[in-house]
Structure formats: C-alpha cells, structure tokens
Amino acid sequence: MLLFGCGGSQENTRWLDFSQGREFLRAQALRREGRLDEARRLFGNLRRIDPGNVAAFREEIDLSRGRAEREALREELELLLERDDDASARAAHLALLASLVDDRVRKERMLAEAIELDEACSVAHAEMAISLEERREDDAAYRSWKQAAEGRVPSPRVFRRLAALEEARHNDGEAIRLYQNYLLLDPDDVWVRAKLGALYLADDAPDRAEEQLRRAFELDSQDVTTIVNLAVAMVRNGRVAEGLELMLRAERLEPKAPDIQENLGLIYADKLGDYAKAIEHYQRYLDLGGEDRMRVEGWIRAFEERLDR
C-alpha cells in the first residue's frame, strides 16, 4: 500500500495479431479464474489453428500437468522437428521441447542449440532464463530475459517477468514501459494494472495512476491494496471526498491495518483540517502496532496543541 504522504519489440505485429484475439484473451482470463483445463484446451486450439502461435503452445505445455498429456506434447514436438525446414520454426519447437525436459544439462544444451539456430528466438531465451533462475544465476537470467523481450514475437509472460526484475533493480521507468507493453497483450491482468498504478504513484503521476487503478478496481473491487492506492490517487488528483470514501471502504475491509489508519489521518489532517478525526485515526494506528511511532506521536501532540488553542 502507498501512503498519501509519501523492451520490448512492438514491431512484432504478428504476435499482436493473435494475442489481441478474443480467444487468446479468453484463455488468459480462464487461467486467472482457475479454470485450468478449459484454458489449456483453448490454448491448444489456438496453436493448432495457427502453428506459429508459439506463445499459446507454451501456455498449453505449462498447463499440461499429467504425464500422458506431457508425453503427447513431447511426441508432437518431435514430429514437428522432423518436418521443420525453417531455422526459426525449428528453434522455437526445440525450445518448447526443452521446456518438457527435466534434466537441466540436457535442457540447457537443447536451448543453446535453439539459440544457435535462431538468435532472435524469444521462447528459447525465455526458457534459458527460467533455467538460470532455478539455479540462482540471477544476472545471467536477467540478460536472457532481456534477450527474450528483444527477440522475435515475445510472449506476454516475458514482458511481465522482465518488468518485475526491472522493478526489483529500481529501474522503475523501464518497469513501467514493460508493464505497459504487457498490457497491450493482456489488458485484463488486474495484478499488473494495480502494480502499474502503484509505480505511477511512486513516480508522482497520480493521474496516470488513477487510470490504471480504476481499471484494476473494476476487475477486482475487493483488493484492499488497489482500493487504498486508488484512494490515494484520487486525493492527490483533488477528489478528496471520493478518495476518503474509498479509504473508509478499505478500513471496513481491513479494520486492523495500521497503514489504512495512517492514510485516513493524513487525509483528515492535510486535506480536511479535521484534527480531531486525524488524532482518532493516528491513535488507532498506534494501537494496531504501526511502526512509525515517533513521527505519528509527534503529529498527535501537534494536533492536540492546535485543538487546545
């Protein structure tokens, strides 16, 4: 929660052609809803309609947990490799096959071969990044994610993961750009909408933050962090009454959250000049174990002095 006081390749239009399709977005939504079998079947249908839809094929693999399902996919990929006469297609199918391999040495050898076949094979770089992360080679994994984002037809998951890594490295501007790219491919991802809104708030862009957080709130009206951040954005944008109403809603949902009490105290004191209400919420913050005790106790004393005048 935020306190009130406080590469992708867009030339890859072929990915946009099918990622923006209704069925791909529906499959993504089904996955988020936990309807995994339905999502898996839909991804499978999509890549059969368009054999070049590598991203849908990768999603189908990820959702295929049964041994028989994975063995069938492995056999299918081996057949495709036998028929491939195009280096790019062969590299992509080899990388997908590698994602089904448990032995890490063999997996990475296959991925290295795929990258040698096609340096721009995004799926091969992404799978290499995942393998490198699993063995804690974080810097090498980061470089592989960047190569995946710059490669041919990167999937949404590439932008999402790389954005999170850039944020962890405090490269907020790059994280924002990558999350924006991701939302072009999957506009209803509520977590990314909320994350982007929080980044815009931290970047002192409350108008942009509110746009993202409103959409996140429409998608999930019960997420308290989204509600708090949307309230903060509204207050910063001058809609104090609306922001206060939302912050009070967050309080009803999580009455024992100290940060919400501090936000309420800030709104009442700084925006409404209601120092008695501010003291009430700051005291509640202290009672709930808020960590910023010295500063909040100082505010309470200052406001009590104002009320005593």
Side-chain angles (χ1 to χ4, degrees), residues 270-295:
D270 293 353
K271 296 298 180 181
L272 299 175
D274 189 337
Y275 300 116
K277 290 291 289 186
I279 290 170
E280 177 185 323
H281 287 289
Y282 284 142
Q283 188 58 58
R284 179 69 173 152
Y285 170 87
L286 296 175
D287 293 343
L288 290 170
E291 296 180 359
D292 196 4
R293 298 189 67 87
M294 289 185 63
R295 183 168 65 157

Side-chain angles (χ1 to χ4, degrees), residues 27 38-50 56-57 59-60 73 76:
E38 293 175 71
R40 179 178 57 82
R41 286 193 294 271
L42 192 48
F43 281 125
N45 290 340
L46 283 169
R47 59 95 177 171
R48 291 183 187 94
I49 292 168
D50 176 6
F57 207 153
E59 296 293 341
E60 182 186 8
L73 290 169
E76 185 174 351

